[in-house]
Amino acid sequence: MNNIPEIKLGVVAVSRDCFPESLSVNRRKALIEAYTAKYGAAEIYECPICIVESEIHMVQALEDIKKAGCNALCVYLGNFGPEISETLLAKHFDGPVMFAAAAEEDSNTSLIQGRGDAYCGMLNASYNLKLRNIKAYIPEYPVGTATEVADMIHEFLPVARTIVGLNDLKIISFGPRPLNFLACNAPIKQLYNLNVEIEENSELDLYESFLKHADDPRIAEVAADMAKELGDGNKMPDILPKLAQYEITLLDWIEAHKGYRKYVTVTTKCWPAFQTMFGFVPCYVNSRLTGRGIPVSCEVDIYGTLSEYIGTCITQDTVTLLDINNSVPADMYNESIKGKFNYKHTDTFMGFHCGNTCSSKLVKGTMKNQMIMARNLPEEVTMGTLEGDIVPGDITFFRLQSTADAQIRAYVAQGEVLPVATKSFGGIGVFAIPEMGRFYRHVLIEKNYPHHGAVAFGHHGKALFDLFRYLGVEDIGFNQPAGMLYPSENPFVK
């Protein structure tokens, strides 16, 4: 299934009636030409109607972009702009909206009859948006040339794509969180505030469906595909038919239960009874579906799978969910990191999970049994985990979370996975985030975040931060640089 939306953004120019309409129209045309030259025409639409101080023009423009199939909007102030009708357009458009404004051009020819004053108009637009309680994305510096505004629009697309995705998302969960995993609590009020639907099911429902798929004719084909993906990392081939049966079960459940929603993400319970009843662990199947853009978090981490879906929409790439797990031993730091990378020991940690990271994000994935579970259970029921070191490179660690008292907050931290052998088990990597030690203490611990964090591959902090602001999240933590104190940080600590 195609599990993330495609964006078509309509550009609507606006004009104050005491300014030449042609100024906005010509600047709109230049913007479209600049965007198309740099990024192509597939994601953008030029609305031919310029709103000139008229609610009727607003309605005409709204109908035009709807007819064109636009699900995102850029209100473009080619000049000062009509603050009422331009904000009414944002109010009545069903989708994410951004505002941007045209900079002045040639000082020799355009500062008399060709001066647009959109720099001033953005102030009135933002004021009217606030009066009407309208959410809108406004770039950090929203006034620019045609090429600069084209770049602003392109930076908005990941945010717009995620907003559209969340508005049509259903989270399907199975079972309550495992015993002693209070950190994975999930007050659902904030899901509804985000317009996300949730369907909560019993593990027994899933098990019943799994048993009904015992003789499914698709099992052999899916198992063969698993074997092809694993290659010589397929150390437990006998478990593949069961894993294939489980994968088919989940996919069929998604199709049967997504209802009126277009996009789905899943979270399941993988212990303590899962292994003994199903006869395997679900980690590898979780990794495969996540690799297809259908994140599946473990331990019934509802906000974890929500965060993964956000990362999938932002990056259009595979993500993962990891424990912020263990410190890096001093000897490993001294031998493999110190003097080679510009990180303090406290900037480093290991991100780990049993085996839910997609094979494409592992240096070399190997099918194994889950070592931690095998300490208390027969080894044969703990097979099905995908192990390997996570590929080195830039990452963004982040999470959107509702607190126990239903307050929404988020964090975003950019860093990297270091090219250092972990010498450990599971899907695991040596992570480095600048000032991680302080971030760990004054954001993750101070704000009571759970141990799971979503990982996007690449640096996507700007888009994630902008998204969380658009969603109305007021508390967004980040790894503050040295010298920038957290509110809870003791200024006398050296």
Side-chain angles (χ1 to χ4, degrees), residues 122-193:
M122 274 298 301
L123 298 175
N124 282 26
S126 64
Y127 186 80
N128 209 295
L129 288 168
K130 185 66 175 179
L131 283 176
R132 298 177 186 275
N133 295 315
I134 300 169
K135 288 182 179 180
Y137 170 90
I138 298 177
E140 289 300 310
Y141 183 71
V143 183
T145 64
T147 300
E148 289 167 343
V149 175
D151 291 339
M152 296 176 202
I153 290 174
H154 193 69
E155 288 184 343
F156 175 57
L157 292 185
V159 176
R161 184 166 52 243
T162 308
I163 297 295
V164 174
L166 291 176
N167 284 334
D168 236 333
L169 177 68
K170 175 181 279 189
I171 296 174
I172 296 175
S173 72
F174 293 97
R177 63 183 185 271
L179 179 67
N180 287 329
F181 265 60
L182 293 176
C184 287
N185 78 85
I188 65 173
K189 169 64 175 172
Q190 287 293 352
L191 296 177
Y192 293 146
N193 288 347

Side-chain angles (χ1 to χ4, degrees), residues 103-350:
E104 308 301 350
E105 292 111 349
D106 185 355
S107 63
N108 294 315
T109 61
S110 64
L111 287 181
I112 300 179
Q113 293 301 331
R115 197 186 75 193
D117 299 357
Y119 189 82
C120 184
M122 274 298 301
L123 298 175
N124 282 26
S126 64
Y127 186 80
N128 209 295
L129 288 168
K130 185 66 175 179
L131 283 176
R132 298 177 186 275
N133 295 315
I134 300 169
K135 288 182 179 180
Y137 170 90
I138 298 177
E140 289 300 310
Y141 183 71
V143 183
T145 64
T147 300
E148 289 167 343
V149 175
D151 291 339
M152 296 176 202
I153 290 174
H154 193 69
E155 288 184 343
F156 175 57
L157 292 185
V159 176
R161 184 166 52 243
T162 308
I163 297 295
V164 174
L166 291 176
N167 284 334
D168 236 333
L169 177 68
K170 175 181 279 189
I171 296 174
I172 296 175
S173 72
F174 293 97
R177 63 183 185 271
L179 179 67
N180 287 329
F181 265 60
L182 293 176
C184 287
N185 78 85
I188 65 173
K189 169 64 175 172
Q190 287 293 352
L191 296 177
Y192 293 146
N193 288 347
L194 295 169
N195 203 29
V196 173
E197 283 296 320
I198 181 162
E199 173 188 300
E200 296 179 283
N201 304 277
S202 163
E203 300 160 87
L204 193 59
D205 297 323
L206 182 59
Y207 186 57
E208 178 189 40
S209 182
F210 174 74
L211 293 179
K212 289 179 178 178
H213 283 80
D215 299 315
D216 194 290
R218 297 168 289 178
I219 289 175
E221 181 181 356
V222 174
D225 186 62
M226 290 177 169
K228 181 180 178 181
E229 178 186 346
L230 291 167
D232 60 7
N234 182 14
K235 306 301 182 184
M236 298 179 172
D238 292 344
I239 200 65
L240 295 190
K242 283 188 177 181
L243 294 175
Q245 180 181 338
Y246 181 66
E247 180 175 303
I248 294 166
T249 300
L250 284 180
L251 289 172
D252 283 358
W253 191 284
I254 287 170
E255 287 301 319
H257 288 255
K258 65 182 181 182
Y260 76 107
R261 292 290 172 132
K262 294 179 181 177
Y263 314 113
V264 175
T265 186
V266 180
T267 182
T268 62
K269 190 173 178 180
C270 45
W271 57 275
F274 187 100
Q275 314 96 305
T276 52
M277 296 305 296
F278 285 78
F280 56 88
V281 292
C283 312
Y284 177 52
V285 172
N286 293 358
S287 81
R288 277 172 57 87
L289 295 191
T290 301
R292 297 185 209 173
I294 310 171
V296 184
S297 72
C298 43
E299 294 159 354
V300 201
D301 183 1
I302 289 171
Y303 282 91
T305 198
L306 174 65
S307 299
E308 284 188 281
Y309 184 74
I310 286 170
T312 302
C313 288
I314 289 284
T315 67
Q316 296 181 294
D317 190 16
T318 301
V319 297
T320 192
L321 189 77
L322 298 178
D323 288 356
I324 303 165
N325 198 68
N326 59 279
S327 60
V328 173
D331 62 336
M332 179 183 287
Y333 173 77
N334 290 329
E335 292 170 7
S336 302
I337 301 173
K338 186 177 182 180
K340 300 177 182 178
F341 304 95
N342 189 27
Y343 294 110
K344 304 186 296 293
H345 192 185
T346 52
D347 292 339
T348 64
F349 67 101
M350 287 193 180

Side-chain angles (χ1 to χ4, degrees), residues 62 65-66 70-73 89-97 163-164 167 195 470:
L62 183 65
I65 56 177
K66 284 183 177 179
C70 296
N71 55 2
L73 168 65
L89 177 66
K91 176 181 179 178
H92 293 292
F93 180 75
D94 184 17
V97 180
I163 297 295
V164 174
N167 284 334
N195 203 29
Y470 195 108

Side-chain angles (χ1 to χ4, degrees), residues 48-113:
I49 298 163
C50 183
I51 299 175
V52 185
E53 206 81 31
S54 166
E55 295 174 18
I56 302 303
H57 286 164
M58 180 275 293
V59 173
Q60 291 171 346
L62 183 65
E63 291 175 348
D64 181 77
I65 56 177
K66 284 183 177 179
K67 185 178 179 181
C70 296
N71 55 2
L73 168 65
C74 173
V75 178
Y76 181 54
L77 279 66
N79 59 43
F80 191 95
E83 59 189 270
I84 292 176
S85 52
E86 69 193 12
T87 50
L88 283 174
L89 177 66
K91 176 181 179 178
H92 293 292
F93 180 75
D94 184 17
V97 180
M98 73 172 284
F99 276 68
E104 308 301 350
E105 292 111 349
D106 185 355
S107 63
N108 294 315
T109 61
S110 64
L111 287 181
I112 300 179
Q113 293 301 331

